[in-house]
Amino acid sequence: MTPNQAILAGKTALGIELGSTRIKAVLIGEDHKVLATGSYSWENRLENDLWTYRLEDAVTGVQASFRELAENVKSRYGVELTTLGALGISGMMHGYLPLDAQGNPLAPFLTWRNTNTAQAADELTELFAFNVPLRWSISHLYQAILEGREHVSSIAHITTLAGYIHYLLTGKMVIGIGEGSGMFPIDSRKMDFDGEMLEKFSNLIADKGYPWDIRDVLPKVLRAGDNAGTLTAAGAALLDVSGKLQPGIPMAPPEGDAGTGMVATNSVAAGTGNVSAGTSIFTMVVLEKQLSKLYRDIDMVTTPSGLPVAMVHCNNGASELDGWMGMFSQLGKLLGADTEGLYGKLFNESLKGDADCGGILLYNYVSGEPITGLNDGRPLLTRPKDSKLTLANFMRSQIYGIWASLALGMQIFTDEKVTVRRLTGHGGLFKTPGVAQRYLAAAVNSAVTVMTTAGEGGPYGMALLAAYLSKKDQMSFEDFLETEVFAGAESSTLEPDPAEVAAFAAWLEHYRKALALEHTAVECV
């Protein structure tokens, strides 16, 4: 079919992802190529010392991104978007959103960025003998219990941002297994929340006398390809305020951005891995064998089909870089300069910098960073008095700083001899060819592949999960991606340069030694 025929016939799939800075919609056709996109910019808020997003902003953003996508379809193909073959919602993984029996929020949505759950995470890790990160839903729930939060006794459901939007569209309280693995530990043999750990948690809070059981408040776990409900009339009216979109569209299980990133990079089979670069940074590697022991810096999650994954998650990614780029854009406008393509120009300028960034160290800690033991953060730039302060060195240090915490966490993979046959990068940081990709290869001493769809990232991955709904009975999800989606996909691979590997390692050692400055900044600033 031609694109407009496919759109009219509903031979399409739509993925909408609520990312940390953008809500983006991606529509794909039968050949899994992108037909149209739409987006909406938003920002997290620091309210009462906790990072949150307003849920009304989430709904507004989903509507705006769909509206822009529908307008894009009309202008490009001359047809109205009235139906879809399938639809899926994804969002920032982890976090905490408690709901009452009517599905109304009981407390502000808490994002992955919050690090106020240290006591809960430590106690649950010891109880489960399983690493429970600070940002997981169960950490937030237990922290609320420890602090005696009033809303806890009224909880009927807890979910994530993706799960909540899916609920508004379908009336179904379900979750994809990859997203679910950021709520509570998963048993990959049973493809469900771990029964023994659920029992331990129930016993832990038994004396509180809450009128709910943890098994009942968690959403139902579904795997890639499972039926997660259909778009209701109310859901269609919420998503498309013009009223043109028809209900009854099959919906995929809601997933987290970590899982959709794996999908978008074809990194769901054992021995594959991906690096997602955005407001946060994380690496996910699908394991061929279990790790030898518990690591507090490694999160055990799953692929959207339930395979075990080792994840290194860093809270701080490109936010500090974006702040500097905004200032440079203001400077350019003040001087009457054209700031179009500013990111690309400055990224390429960094290639002229010294391999050690001229001695410049940059800590991009807008929030706390568990990998380096910080419960709070302060952006910090420091340098020796004889350093070379040039624009190229400054920009190179900016990008090095984004990879620094990730490189520290990934050293565990080397120690454990984890097999990574293919490491693929995705996210906006990779849009400028051969820059962030090159520095990442040096940081982790591994070849890094970037696909031409790298900038589409998570929403494209969610669209593929939606497209798989009609293929589940024919093939595994891994085979679907390998043979039908990514066979012959355009990509570029950069091997690490040994000299740059050594230079980054030396820079990282200085970065590690100077972390005391960051700890002091948190205390003093």
Side-chain angles (χ1 to χ4, degrees):
M1 291 185 176
T2 62
N4 59 343
Q5 289 173 331
I7 292 166
L8 289 171
K11 300 293 185 181
T12 55
L14 173 62
I16 300 177
E17 182 160 285
L18 294 96
S20 53
T21 59
R22 281 198 309 165
I23 298 173
K24 187 172 182 181
V26 171
L27 184 71
I28 62 174
E30 287 185 296
D31 59 358
H32 309 116
K33 298 292 196 315
V34 176
L35 296 175
T37 64
S39 67
Y40 175 85
S41 295
W42 71 333
E43 290 289 343
N44 55 194
R45 304 165 183 262
L46 186 62
E47 298 181 353
N48 299 317
D49 289 325
L50 294 171
W51 292 102
T52 185
Y53 292 83
R54 301 274 175 85
L55 294 177
E56 55 267 35
D57 293 343
V59 172
T60 297
V62 167
Q63 292 171 338
S65 63
F66 181 86
R67 181 173 59 250
E68 184 176 281
L69 179 137
E71 292 170 352
N72 194 344
V73 166
K74 182 71 179 290
S75 64
R76 294 184 66 180
Y77 307 109
V79 296
E80 298 282 1
L81 186 61
T82 61
T83 189
L84 302 161
L87 169 63
I89 300 294
S90 56
M92 291 168 283
M93 197 178 183
H94 318 116
Y96 178 63
L97 183 49
L99 308 173
D100 66 16
Q102 288 72 47
N104 300 310
L106 292 168
F109 164 61
L110 298 181
T111 78
W112 49 269
R113 175 167 268 176
N114 290 292
T115 55
N116 63 306
T117 56
Q119 181 183 354
D122 287 346
E123 291 185 15
L124 292 176
T125 295
E126 183 175 354
L127 177 69
F128 296 158
F130 183 97
N131 182 38
V132 178
L134 277 65
R135 65 190 178 281
W136 280 19
S137 304
I138 194 61
S139 294
H140 285 288
L141 174 61
Y142 188 47
Q143 190 69 38
I145 292 171
L146 291 174
E147 295 175 4
R149 298 289 178 90
E150 185 177 347
H151 74 268
V152 176
S153 61
S154 301
I155 288 176
H157 308 281
I158 60 171
T159 189
T160 65
L161 187 58
Y164 177 68
I165 299 297
H166 182 91
Y167 168 74
L168 294 181
L169 298 180
T170 66
K172 301 289 185 182
M173 196 63 67
V174 299
I175 206 74
I177 192 169
E179 175 77 321
S181 68
M183 297 187 73
F184 193 93
I186 290 286
D187 183 342
S188 286
R189 297 166 299 176
K190 297 182 179 179
M191 299 296 175
D192 203 349
F193 294 122
D194 189 288
E196 292 185 7
M197 296 184 195
L198 288 170
E199 183 67 23
K200 287 181 178 179
F201 186 82
S202 292
N203 294 336
L204 177 66
I205 65 169
D207 63 336
K208 303 293 184 181
Y210 294 125
W212 49 262
D213 185 273
I214 186 62
R215 301 169 185 84
D216 299 324
V217 300
L218 287 168
K220 181 181 179 182
V221 173
L222 299 175
R223 298 174 64 197
D226 286 348
N227 179 1
T230 57
L231 184 67
T232 63
L238 182 145
L239 180 58
D240 180 15
V241 295
S242 75
K244 296 172 184 174
L245 186 67
Q246 299 302 303
I249 296 167
M251 293 206 53
E255 268 297 347
D257 55 358
T260 57
M262 300 179 78
V263 175
T265 56
N266 192 21
S267 304
V268 297
T272 62
N274 80 99
V275 175
S276 175
T279 303
S280 65
I281 300 285
F282 51 83
T283 296
M284 305 185 73
V285 176
V286 187
L287 297 178
E288 293 183 325
K289 63 178 183 178
Q290 293 291 338
L291 301 179
S292 65
K293 60 182 179 180
L294 181 155
Y295 291 95
R296 289 307 304 266
D297 292 338
I298 300 290
D299 306 345
M300 293 306 302
V301 292
T302 78
T303 69
S305 56
L307 297 180
V309 172
M311 178 184 192
V312 176
H313 183 280
C314 302
N315 278 358
N316 296 282
S319 291
E320 178 66 1
L321 170 67
D322 289 342
W324 281 96
M325 298 298 274
M327 188 181 70
F328 286 145
S329 178
Q330 293 171 19
L331 176 62
K333 291 175 182 177
L334 181 66
L335 298 175
D338 179 13
T339 59
E340 183 71 24
L342 183 66
Y343 274 83
K345 291 174 183 176
L346 290 179
F347 269 48
N348 283 315
E349 180 68 16
S350 76
L351 296 173
K352 302 174 185 177
D354 299 323
D356 67 350
C357 305
I360 299 171
L361 293 175
L362 188 134
Y363 297 88
N364 62 339
Y365 294 170
V366 176
S367 61
E369 189 55 77
I371 289 289
T372 49
L374 285 148
N375 288 331
D376 201 355
R378 301 290 184 273
L380 177 66
L381 185 149
T382 185
R383 60 192 181 91
K385 59 185 179 182
D386 60 349
S387 63
K388 300 176 184 176
L389 184 58
T390 66
L391 181 61
N393 281 336
F394 171 82
M395 284 304 304
R396 193 167 183 129
S397 183
Q398 283 277 358
I399 306 172
Y400 271 28
I402 290 174
W403 299 137
S405 297
L406 187 75
L408 292 172
M410 285 186 64
Q411 288 177 355
I412 294 172
F413 289 162
T414 302
D415 297 339
E416 283 275 345
K417 297 181 172 55
V418 171
T419 300
V420 186
R421 288 191 294 272
R422 183 176 69 228
L423 187 64
T424 305
H426 76 104
L429 208 62
F430 295 104
K431 279 189 175 181
T432 303
V435 182
Q437 179 184 10
R438 171 176 166 178
Y439 300 148
L440 175 60
V444 300
N445 193 20
S446 173
V448 176
T449 298
V450 174
M451 297 181 178
T452 53
T453 54
E456 303 299 344
Y460 177 65
M462 192 64 239
L464 292 176
L465 281 162
Y468 180 62
L469 288 175
S470 62
K471 299 285 187 177
K472 182 187 177 184
D473 294 336
Q474 303 170 32
M475 64 187 73
S476 70
F477 185 57
E478 293 78 12
D479 286 344
F480 167 69
L481 294 183
E482 189 68 29
T483 63
E484 294 213 356
V485 178
F486 291 107
E490 293 183 30
S491 64
S492 66
T493 300
L494 286 180
E495 297 287 340
D497 181 308
E500 292 190 350
V501 171
F504 184 91
W507 180 90
L508 188 63
E509 187 56 32
H510 291 303
Y511 179 98
R512 190 203 307 264
K513 289 179 178 178
L515 273 168
L517 293 173
E518 180 65 25
H519 286 270
T520 301
V522 170
E523 294 175 4
C524 298
V525 179

